[in-house]
Amino acid sequence: MPTTESHVRAGLLAGLGLMLAAACPVAAATCYPASAEQPLESELVLNTSGGTYWEAFRSAFLDSFERDCGVRVKTLVSARHSFAQFKGYVQRGRVPYDLTYTAVPWEVAEAKRGGLIEPLPEDFWAPIAGQLLDGSYDRYGTWLSAYAEVLIYNREVFPEGLHSWADFFDLQRFPGPRTLKDSPYSLVIALLADGVAAEDIHPLDDAKLRRAFSRLDQLRPAIRSFWAGGGDEPVQGVQRGDFVAGVAQSGRALAGLRQGYDIGVSWRQNLFDEAWIFRAKGARHPRAAAALLFYINDPARQAAFARLTGYGAAPKDSAAYLAAEDVRHLSTAPDNLARAARIDLAWWQANGARVQTLWREWVATGKVSL
């Protein structure tokens, strides 16, 4: 029978599951913070966006968590999950999941201020705090992954490649339809394309914002979609020829390469960022949800996840469980970090909501009130 993408992915996931089971013997601490007085609930619900990322998450973490901890993990696929939706669930006291996520720093900040996240006990991370990267955890949650937005392109259309965001914005030398992430971080990409050095991007004052939107105006005729949700869309679209180039999450691009997609990837000025996972206020299975947050921060399990996705995470020693080739594809690999344009999380936490409003206006109308 011919090999298909689904067969390749299924085989990789199954093989990795066997490797992980051998590498991670069951220990009593695995299901922390369970106790005789407060056992874990028998199930929990995890909010996801679906796609290859969450398939890998199940293989690396959920299947063994169910086996080790006796907790059934149900996944709710919310392809159009939004902060407004999450906030509404909490305010109405009808949250359909226990754990959810975001890659948007100002959403994390607002959720903390608004009491939308169920805080963890003050000493929750004490047993493994020394094993985790600084800034990768707090009383509200932990990194879901450390990832990067990268430039991808169709190698058949551009055999010589696109090598920079300036190339991505150059419609004369590299004509054809593009796909752009539906995120105000695209303003950072526009400034990089316009020649602003990575270290000079932040803070984004109004003059820089106007410059970024002006650059995006020049690209807009070629933008065929603003993607959101799971992140497979740009990779699959570039492979099919729907777009000649796009902005993609690094791990989704790696998944495409492993499936034999004829796409090129440029790590130059990649946008390094973090996604967080946390308990929703009013979670119906809070102890099981807390246990999963702790469980995923194991270096061997995170190494398994990294092999599948190319995403780094909180444990410091995950690379020790990986081959050099696998480390090369991580967003946290030294070479990739050296080429990264870092997002100033503090600035975006303070200013992101306003910039998001401007971005939404531009996407909808092509104009912006600046």
Side-chain angles (χ1 to χ4, degrees), residues 303-363:
F305 190 52
R307 285 192 65 189
L308 287 170
T309 65
Y311 293 128
K316 297 176 181 177
D317 297 332
S318 295
Y321 296 84
L322 293 168
E325 178 64 16
D326 294 316
V327 174
R328 185 172 68 85
H329 291 294
L330 287 178
S331 54
T332 50
D335 286 348
N336 295 333
L337 281 176
R339 289 179 283 180
R342 302 295 290 266
I343 294 297
D344 186 333
L345 295 179
W347 187 91
W348 282 93
Q349 285 178 351
N351 300 278
R354 176 194 177 230
V355 180
Q356 170 79 338
T357 299
L358 296 172
W359 172 256
R360 293 257 52 84
E361 179 186 7
W362 183 83
V363 170

Coordinates of all heavy atoms in Angstrom, one line a residue, residues 303-363:
A303 N 11.4 16.0 25.6 CA 12.2 15.6 24.5 C 11.4 14.9 23.4 O 11.6 15.1 22.2 CB 13.4 14.8 25.0
A304 N 10.5 14.0 23.9 CA 9.7 13.3 22.9 C 8.8 14.3 22.1 O 8.6 14.2 20.9 CB 8.8 12.3 23.7
F305 N 8.3 15.3 22.8 CA 7.4 16.3 22.2 C 8.3 17.1 21.2 O 7.8 17.4 20.1 CB 6.8 17.2 23.3 CG 5.8 18.1 22.8 CD1 4.7 17.6 22.1 CD2 5.8 19.5 23.1 CE1 3.7 18.5 21.6 CE2 4.8 20.3 22.6 CZ 3.8 19.8 21.9
A306 N 9.5 17.4 21.6 CA 10.3 18.2 20.7 C 10.7 17.4 19.5 O 10.8 18.0 18.4 CB 11.6 18.6 21.5
R307 N 10.9 16.1 19.6 CA 11.2 15.3 18.4 C 10.0 15.4 17.4 O 10.2 15.4 16.2 CB 11.4 13.9 18.8 CG 12.8 13.6 19.4 CD 13.1 12.1 19.5 NE 13.2 11.5 18.2 CZ 13.3 10.2 18.0 NH1 13.3 9.4 19.0 NH2 13.5 9.8 16.7
L308 N 8.8 15.5 17.9 CA 7.7 15.5 17.0 C 7.4 16.9 16.5 O 6.9 17.0 15.3 CB 6.4 15.0 17.8 CG 6.3 13.5 18.1 CD1 5.2 13.2 19.0 CD2 6.2 12.7 16.8
T309 N 7.7 17.9 17.2 CA 7.2 19.3 16.9 C 8.3 20.3 16.6 O 8.0 21.3 15.9 CB 6.3 19.8 18.0 OG1 7.2 20.0 19.2 CG2 5.2 18.9 18.4
G310 N 9.5 20.1 17.1 CA 10.5 21.1 17.0 C 10.3 22.3 18.0 O 11.0 23.3 17.8
Y311 N 9.5 22.1 18.9 CA 9.2 23.2 19.9 C 10.0 22.9 21.2 O 10.0 21.8 21.7 CB 7.8 23.3 20.3 CG 6.9 23.8 19.1 CD1 5.8 23.1 18.8 CD2 7.2 25.0 18.5 CE1 4.9 23.5 17.7 CE2 6.4 25.4 17.4 CZ 5.3 24.7 17.1 OH 4.5 25.2 16.0
G312 N 10.7 23.9 21.7 CA 11.3 23.8 23.0 C 10.3 24.0 24.1 O 9.1 24.4 23.9
A313 N 10.7 23.9 25.4 CA 9.8 24.0 26.5 C 10.6 24.3 27.8 O 11.8 24.6 27.7 CB 8.9 22.8 26.7
A314 N 10.0 24.1 28.9 CA 10.5 24.6 30.2 C 11.7 23.8 30.7 O 12.7 24.4 31.3 CB 9.4 24.7 31.2
P315 N 11.7 22.4 30.7 CA 12.8 21.7 31.3 C 14.2 22.0 30.7 O 14.3 22.1 29.5 CB 12.4 20.2 31.1 CG 10.9 20.2 30.9 CD 10.6 21.5 30.2
K316 N 15.2 22.2 31.5 CA 16.5 22.6 31.0 C 17.2 21.5 30.3 O 18.0 21.7 29.4 CB 17.4 23.1 32.2 CG 16.9 24.3 32.9 CD 17.7 24.6 34.2 CE 17.3 25.8 34.9 NZ 18.1 26.0 36.1
D317 N 16.9 20.2 30.7 CA 17.7 19.1 30.3 C 17.1 18.3 29.1 O 17.6 17.2 28.8 CB 18.0 18.1 31.5 CG 18.8 18.8 32.6 OD1 19.6 19.7 32.2 OD2 18.6 18.4 33.7
S318 N 16.1 18.8 28.5 CA 15.4 18.0 27.4 C 16.4 17.7 26.3 O 16.3 16.6 25.7 CB 14.3 18.8 26.8 OG 13.3 19.0 27.8
A319 N 17.3 18.6 26.0 CA 18.3 18.3 24.9 C 19.1 17.1 25.1 O 19.6 16.5 24.2 CB 19.2 19.6 24.6
A320 N 19.3 16.7 26.4 CA 20.1 15.6 26.7 C 19.5 14.3 26.2 O 20.2 13.3 26.0 CB 20.4 15.5 28.2
Y321 N 18.2 14.3 25.9 CA 17.5 13.1 25.5 C 17.3 13.1 24.0 O 16.6 12.3 23.4 CB 16.1 13.1 26.1 CG 16.2 12.8 27.6 CD1 16.3 13.9 28.5 CD2 16.0 11.6 28.2 CE1 16.3 13.7 29.9 CE2 16.1 11.4 29.5 CZ 16.2 12.5 30.4 OH 16.3 12.3 31.7
L322 N 17.9 14.1 23.3 CA 17.7 14.3 21.8 C 19.0 14.1 21.1 O 20.1 14.5 21.5 CB 17.1 15.7 21.6 CG 15.7 16.0 22.1 CD1 15.5 17.5 22.0 CD2 14.7 15.2 21.3
A323 N 18.9 13.6 19.8 CA 20.0 13.6 18.9 C 20.3 15.0 18.4 O 19.4 15.9 18.4 CB 19.6 12.7 17.7
A324 N 21.5 15.2 18.0 CA 21.9 16.5 17.5 C 21.0 17.1 16.4 O 20.7 18.3 16.3 CB 23.4 16.5 17.0
E325 N 20.6 16.2 15.5 CA 19.7 16.6 14.4 C 18.4 17.1 14.9 O 17.8 18.1 14.4 CB 19.4 15.4 13.5 CG 18.5 15.7 12.3 CD 19.1 16.8 11.3 OE1 20.3 17.0 11.4 OE2 18.3 17.3 10.5
D326 N 17.8 16.5 16.0 CA 16.6 17.0 16.6 C 16.8 18.3 17.3 O 15.9 19.2 17.2 CB 16.0 16.0 17.6 CG 15.6 14.7 16.9 OD1 15.0 14.7 15.8 OD2 16.0 13.6 17.4
V327 N 17.9 18.5 18.0 CA 18.2 19.8 18.7 C 18.3 20.9 17.7 O 17.8 22.0 17.9 CB 19.5 19.7 19.5 CG1 19.8 21.0 20.1 CG2 19.3 18.6 20.6
R328 N 18.8 20.6 16.5 CA 19.0 21.7 15.4 C 17.6 22.3 15.0 O 17.6 23.5 14.6 CB 19.6 21.0 14.2 CG 20.0 22.0 13.1 CD 20.8 21.4 12.0 NE 20.0 20.4 11.3 CZ 19.2 20.7 10.2 NH1 19.1 22.0 9.8 NH2 18.6 19.8 9.6
H329 N 16.5 21.6 15.1 CA 15.3 22.1 14.7 C 14.5 22.8 15.8 O 13.4 23.3 15.6 CB 14.4 20.9 14.2 CG 14.9 20.4 12.9 ND1 14.9 21.1 11.7 CD2 15.4 19.2 12.5 CE1 15.3 20.4 10.7 NE2 15.7 19.2 11.2
L330 N 15.0 22.8 17.0 CA 14.3 23.4 18.1 C 14.4 25.0 18.0 O 15.4 25.5 17.7 CB 14.9 23.0 19.5 CG 14.7 21.6 20.0 CD1 15.5 21.4 21.3 CD2 13.2 21.3 20.2
S331 N 13.3 25.6 18.4 CA 13.3 27.1 18.5 C 14.3 27.6 19.5 O 14.8 28.7 19.4 CB 11.9 27.6 18.8 OG 11.4 27.0 20.0
T332 N 14.6 26.7 20.5 CA 15.5 27.1 21.6 C 17.0 26.7 21.2 O 17.9 26.9 22.1 CB 15.1 26.5 22.9 OG1 14.9 25.1 22.7 CG2 13.9 27.2 23.4
A333 N 17.2 26.1 20.0 CA 18.6 25.8 19.7 C 19.4 27.0 19.6 O 19.0 28.1 19.1 CB 18.6 25.0 18.3
P334 N 20.7 27.0 20.0 CA 21.5 28.2 20.0 C 21.6 29.0 18.7 O 21.5 30.2 18.7 CB 22.9 27.7 20.4 CG 22.6 26.4 21.2 CD 21.4 25.8 20.6
D335 N 21.7 28.3 17.6 CA 21.8 28.9 16.3 C 20.5 29.7 16.0 O 20.5 30.8 15.4 CB 22.1 28.0 15.2 CG 23.6 27.5 15.2 OD1 24.4 28.1 15.9 OD2 23.9 26.6 14.5
N336 N 19.4 29.0 16.3 CA 18.1 29.6 16.0 C 17.8 30.8 16.9 O 17.2 31.8 16.5 CB 17.0 28.6 16.1 CG 17.1 27.5 15.0 OD1 17.7 27.7 13.9 ND2 16.6 26.3 15.3
L337 N 18.2 30.7 18.2 CA 18.0 31.8 19.1 C 18.9 33.0 18.7 O 18.5 34.1 18.8 CB 18.4 31.4 20.5 CG 17.3 30.6 21.3 CD1 17.9 30.2 22.6 CD2 16.0 31.4 21.5
A338 N 20.1 32.7 18.1 CA 21.0 33.8 17.7 C 20.4 34.5 16.5 O 20.7 35.7 16.4 CB 22.3 33.2 17.4
R339 N 19.6 33.9 15.7 CA 19.0 34.5 14.6 C 17.6 35.1 14.9 O 17.0 35.7 14.0 CB 18.9 33.5 13.4 CG 20.2 33.2 12.8 CD 20.1 32.2 11.7 NE 19.8 30.8 12.2 CZ 19.7 29.8 11.4 NH1 19.7 29.9 10.1 NH2 19.5 28.6 11.9
A340 N 17.1 35.0 16.1 CA 15.8 35.4 16.4 C 15.6 36.9 16.7 O 16.6 37.5 17.1 CB 15.3 34.6 17.7
A341 N 14.5 37.4 16.3 CA 14.0 38.7 16.7 C 13.1 38.5 17.9 O 12.0 38.0 17.7 CB 13.3 39.4 15.6
R342 N 13.5 38.8 19.1 CA 12.8 38.5 20.3 C 11.6 39.4 20.5 O 11.7 40.6 20.3 CB 13.7 38.5 21.6 CG 14.9 37.6 21.5 CD 14.5 36.1 21.5 NE 13.9 35.7 22.7 CZ 14.6 35.1 23.7 NH1 15.9 34.9 23.5 NH2 14.0 34.7 24.8
I343 N 10.5 38.8 20.9 CA 9.3 39.6 21.2 C 9.5 40.2 22.6 O 9.8 39.4 23.6 CB 8.0 38.8 21.1 CG1 7.8 38.3 19.7 CG2 6.8 39.5 21.7 CD1 7.5 39.5 18.7
D344 N 9.3 41.5 22.8 CA 9.4 42.1 24.2 C 8.0 41.8 24.9 O 7.1 42.6 24.7 CB 9.6 43.6 24.0 CG 9.9 44.2 25.4 OD1 9.4 43.7 26.4 OD2 10.6 45.3 25.4
L345 N 8.0 40.7 25.7 CA 6.7 40.3 26.3 C 6.2 41.4 27.2 O 5.0 41.6 27.3 CB 6.9 39.0 27.0 CG 7.3 37.8 26.2 CD1 7.4 36.6 27.0 CD2 6.1 37.5 25.2
A346 N 7.1 42.1 28.0 CA 6.6 43.1 28.9 C 5.9 44.2 28.1 O 4.8 44.7 28.6 CB 7.7 43.6 29.7
W347 N 6.5 44.6 27.0 CA 5.9 45.7 26.2 C 4.5 45.3 25.7 O 3.5 46.0 25.7 CB 6.8 46.1 25.1 CG 6.2 47.3 24.4 CD1 6.5 48.6 24.7 CD2 5.3 47.4 23.3 NE1 5.8 49.5 23.8 CE2 5.0 48.7 23.0 CE3 4.6 46.4 22.6 CZ2 4.1 49.1 22.0 CZ3 3.7 46.8 21.6 CH2 3.5 48.1 21.3
W348 N 4.4 44.0 25.2 CA 3.2 43.6 24.6 C 2.1 43.3 25.7 O 0.9 43.5 25.4 CB 3.4 42.3 23.8 CG 4.0 42.6 22.4 CD1 5.3 42.7 22.1 CD2 3.3 43.0 21.3 NE1 5.5 43.1 20.8 CE2 4.3 43.3 20.2 CE3 1.9 43.2 21.0 CZ2 3.9 43.7 19.0 CZ3 1.6 43.6 19.7 CH2 2.5 43.8 18.7
Q349 N 2.5 42.9 26.9 CA 1.5 42.8 27.9 C 0.9 44.1 28.3 O -0.3 44.2 28.6 CB 2.2 42.2 29.2 CG 2.5 40.7 29.1 CD 3.2 40.1 30.3 OE1 3.6 40.9 31.2 NE2 3.3 38.8 30.4
A350 N 1.7 45.2 28.2 CA 1.2 46.5 28.6 C 0.5 47.2 27.4 O -0.5 48.0 27.7 CB 2.4 47.4 29.0
N351 N 0.8 46.9 26.2 CA 0.3 47.6 25.0 C -0.4 46.8 24.0 O -1.0 47.3 23.0 CB 1.5 48.3 24.3 CG 2.2 49.3 25.2 OD1 1.8 50.4 25.4 ND2 3.3 48.9 25.8
G352 N -0.4 45.5 24.2 CA -0.9 44.6 23.1 C -2.4 44.7 22.8 O -2.8 44.6 21.7
A353 N -3.2 45.0 23.9 CA -4.6 45.1 23.6 C -4.9 46.3 22.7 O -5.8 46.1 21.8 CB -5.3 45.3 25.0
R354 N -4.3 47.4 22.9 CA -4.5 48.6 22.0 C -4.0 48.2 20.5 O -4.7 48.5 19.6 CB -3.7 49.8 22.5 CG -3.8 51.0 21.5 CD -2.8 52.1 21.8 NE -3.0 53.1 20.8 CZ -2.0 53.6 20.1 NH1 -0.7 53.2 20.4 NH2 -2.2 54.6 19.3
V355 N -2.8 47.6 20.4 CA -2.3 47.3 19.1 C -3.2 46.2 18.4 O -3.4 46.3 17.2 CB -0.9 46.8 19.2 CG1 -0.3 46.5 17.8 CG2 0.0 47.9 19.8
Q356 N -3.7 45.3 19.2 CA -4.6 44.3 18.6 C -5.9 45.0 18.0 O -6.4 44.6 17.0 CB -5.1 43.3 19.7 CG -6.2 42.4 19.4 CD -5.8 41.2 18.5 OE1 -4.7 41.3 17.8 NE2 -6.6 40.2 18.5
T357 N -6.4 46.0 18.7 CA -7.6 46.8 18.2 C -7.2 47.4 16.8 O -8.0 47.4 15.9 CB -8.0 47.8 19.2 OG1 -8.4 47.2 20.4 CG2 -9.2 48.6 18.6
L358 N -6.0 48.0 16.8 CA -5.6 48.7 15.5 C -5.4 47.6 14.4 O -5.8 47.8 13.3 CB -4.3 49.4 15.7 CG -4.3 50.6 16.7 CD1 -2.9 51.1 16.9 CD2 -5.1 51.7 16.1
W359 N -4.9 46.5 14.8 CA -4.7 45.4 13.8 C -6.0 44.9 13.3 O -6.2 44.7 12.1 CB -3.9 44.3 14.5 CG -3.8 43.0 13.6 CD1 -4.5 41.9 13.8 CD2 -3.0 42.8 12.5 NE1 -4.2 40.9 12.8 CE2 -3.2 41.5 12.0 CE3 -2.1 43.6 11.8 CZ2 -2.6 41.0 10.9 CZ3 -1.4 43.1 10.7 CH2 -1.7 41.8 10.3
R360 N -7.0 44.7 14.2 CA -8.3 44.2 13.7 C -8.9 45.2 12.8 O -9.6 44.8 11.8 CB -9.2 44.0 15.0 CG -8.8 42.9 15.9 CD -9.6 41.6 15.7 NE -9.7 41.2 14.3 CZ -8.8 40.4 13.7 NH1 -7.8 40.0 14.3 NH2 -9.0 40.0 12.5
E361 N -8.8 46.5 13.0 CA -9.3 47.5 12.2 C -8.7 47.4 10.8 O -9.4 47.5 9.7 CB -9.1 48.9 12.8 CG -9.6 50.0 11.9 CD -9.2 51.4 12.5 OE1 -8.5 51.4 13.5 OE2 -9.7 52.4 11.9
W362 N -7.3 47.2 10.8 CA -6.7 47.2 9.5 C -7.0 45.9 8.7 O -7.3 46.0 7.5 CB -5.1 47.2 9.7 CG -4.4 47.2 8.4 CD1 -4.1 48.3 7.6 CD2 -3.8 46.1 7.7 NE1 -3.4 47.9 6.5 CE2 -3.2 46.6 6.6 CE3 -3.7 44.8 8.0 CZ2 -2.5 45.7 5.7 CZ3 -3.0 43.9 7.2 CH2 -2.5 44.4 6.0
V363 N -7.1 44.8 9.3 CA -7.5 43.5 8.6 C -8.9 43.7 8.0 O -9.1 43.3 6.9 CB -7.4 42.3 9.6 CG1 -8.1 41.1 9.0 CG2 -6.0 42.1 10.0

